[in-house]
Amino acid sequence: MKLDLTPILTKNDIIGVACSGGSDSMALLYFMHKNQKKYGITVKAVNIEHGIRGENSINDTNFVKNYCKKHKIELISYSVDAINYSKQHKLSLEEGARKLRYDCFDDAISKGLITKIATAHHAKDNAETVLINLFRGTGLKGITGIEENYQNKIIRPFLSLSKEDIENFIDKNKIPFVVDETNLSTDYTRNYIRLNLLEKVKEIFPEYEKAVLRLSKIAKMEEEFLQNLAIKELKQEKDGYSFSVNLEKALFYRVATLALKNLVKKDYEIKHINAIYSLISKNNGTKITLLRGVFAIKEYDKIVVFSSNNKEKVDIPFAEGEFPFEYGKLTVTKMEKPINLKDGFYIDENLLVGAKIRFVALGDLFYKFGGGSKKLTDIFTDKKIPVRKRKALPIIENNGKILFVAKVGISELAKTTDQTKMVYKLTYEEF
């Protein structure tokens, strides 16, 4: 059996071979142990007793222990209770066992016992994974199948081999193994597909395993290409992510999914992506609630998916200093009236006695220099200030008169005069 593992191995790696005692894992342990000098690595075995099959499971673990002792292979052993864990976390037994198994792998790596874990997944396992994902509707990502090298921590040296390749290798080298009777049970999703579906597929397409593996590799290349496009289109915002409304639908969905994944990690569904896409045809400022305090809003030619902590109310006595808000920081500095008043926003100190800092309120009017009054909401629209940010913009008011609005400026009511000696300089820096 010829395999080139140089792409997934590094010299001085300590490889832990996940070994249950079954045929595939024993073949992998034999192969890796036999070739460890060739690749300049150290090989150990990692066995996990899941607590599922009672005495049979314990016997399998003892089989692995005896094999490792005979062949002088260091063994790392774990024992878990997959049945109770699955019940407590409302998982299927398959899911629960897998979660605990990979937790053990992570533990061995984090403790420095090994640098990588090697599992015995092969081309047939990959075909099963692709079909399961296909039936669940997971999209292009699902048909990329099993990764040969996952995060440079979990490797699958046998992924390109068919089940027959491994069986022939076992027969040729007389490798001992045990039979897990649960592999013959159709109570598990993967076993059902393996025993009831793929055996019939093989009658028509004898090389289906390798054909599906080719499909997975093509899908992986295309998935990586599209994902890189999505990453480029996704722009970081202070409170979330934004992207253009003019993206092609396929790319739009991918970018929206990436934004949600970054904000909520899991539990988002296709209905949430559909809702975000519906904003394209809506008016500017249309906002929808998604999940877990995450919202999406249309802002002119872009969509913003964000998580808001804005309390929408603030009432702070005016004073010198720095005032951080959700989207920016207001800095108030007292000074002598400068000769040049055009390099910033300045208000006579006398006009600010008893003033306060607050957010915009419905019906607020702003007196523009020489231009009469106008609703602040209309000014925000003219300046294309996103609706999402308007309610968190600081305003300085005194006795009901608005003197300053962040991102807008000072009002006609706040002008300095020839008698003005001391002023406050107002600077708003957006995050």
Side-chain angles (χ1 to χ4, degrees), residues 67-117:
Y67 180 89
C68 289
K69 183 178 181 179
K70 179 180 178 181
H71 294 275
K72 298 180 180 178
I73 300 171
E74 184 178 337
L75 175 64
I76 303 167
S77 297
Y78 291 93
S79 180
V80 297
D81 187 350
I83 295 175
N84 282 329
Y85 178 86
S86 300
K87 288 179 180 177
Q88 290 171 6
H89 294 82
K90 297 180 180 179
L91 299 172
S92 70
L93 191 53
E94 275 183 291
E95 293 170 326
R98 185 183 187 282
K99 175 66 170 58
L100 288 174
R101 185 162 58 250
Y102 279 81
D103 284 348
C104 292
F105 296 161
D106 287 339
D107 179 77
I109 293 173
S110 66
K111 288 179 177 176
L113 302 175
I114 57 176
T115 57
K116 294 174 185 171
I117 193 81

Side-chain angles (χ1 to χ4, degrees), residues 48-248:
I48 301 157
E49 199 279 295
H50 292 85
I52 296 175
R53 298 164 41 244
E55 188 175 340
N56 288 343
S57 181
I58 295 171
N59 289 339
D60 292 352
T61 289
N62 289 333
F63 168 81
V64 174
K65 286 180 180 178
N66 292 332
Y67 180 89
C68 289
K69 183 178 181 179
K70 179 180 178 181
H71 294 275
K72 298 180 180 178
I73 300 171
E74 184 178 337
L75 175 64
I76 303 167
S77 297
Y78 291 93
S79 180
V80 297
D81 187 350
I83 295 175
N84 282 329
Y85 178 86
S86 300
K87 288 179 180 177
Q88 290 171 6
H89 294 82
K90 297 180 180 179
L91 299 172
S92 70
L93 191 53
E94 275 183 291
E95 293 170 326
R98 185 183 187 282
K99 175 66 170 58
L100 288 174
R101 185 162 58 250
Y102 279 81
D103 284 348
C104 292
F105 296 161
D106 287 339
D107 179 77
I109 293 173
S110 66
K111 288 179 177 176
L113 302 175
I114 57 176
T115 57
K116 294 174 185 171
I117 193 81
T119 66
H121 291 96
H122 46 73
K124 188 172 186 178
D125 293 318
N126 182 71
E128 292 164 7
T129 297
V130 169
L131 280 176
I132 289 170
N133 290 339
L134 181 66
F135 296 147
R136 288 174 175 168
T138 56
L140 183 60
K141 175 66 175 175
I143 63 172
T144 61
I146 300 172
E147 290 192 49
E148 185 180 34
N149 185 0
Y150 178 70
Q151 295 183 348
N152 207 31
K153 288 176 25 178
I154 301 174
I155 58 174
R156 280 92 180 200
F158 281 0
L159 196 59
S160 63
L161 302 178
S162 69
K163 179 65 174 175
E164 286 74 15
D165 292 333
I166 297 172
E167 288 174 344
N168 291 335
F169 179 72
I170 290 170
D171 290 342
K172 180 179 178 182
N173 294 282
K174 297 180 173 56
I175 301 170
F177 61 88
V178 294
V179 176
D180 181 346
E181 68 276 8
T182 60
N183 288 335
L184 304 177
S185 171
T186 56
D187 291 341
Y188 302 102
T189 303
R190 186 174 291 273
N191 286 357
Y192 186 90
I193 289 175
R194 178 186 303 148
L195 300 172
N196 291 350
L197 181 59
L198 291 182
E199 291 306 314
K200 296 185 184 302
V201 169
K202 195 174 184 65
E203 293 175 8
I204 305 173
F205 301 102
E207 296 292 315
Y208 82 89
E209 294 174 18
K210 293 185 178 180
V212 174
L213 188 63
R214 289 196 299 272
L215 171 65
S216 294
K217 290 180 178 179
I218 293 170
K220 187 174 188 295
M221 286 191 296
E222 295 183 352
E223 168 69 19
E224 289 176 351
F225 173 74
L226 289 171
Q227 194 68 359
N228 286 333
L229 280 183
I231 290 169
K232 289 178 181 178
E233 293 293 340
L234 194 65
K235 310 302 179 187
Q236 182 84 51
E237 297 277 343
K238 165 67 174 58
D239 51 356
Y241 300 89
S242 65
F243 45 94
S244 172
V245 298
N246 298 316
L247 299 177
E248 290 291 335

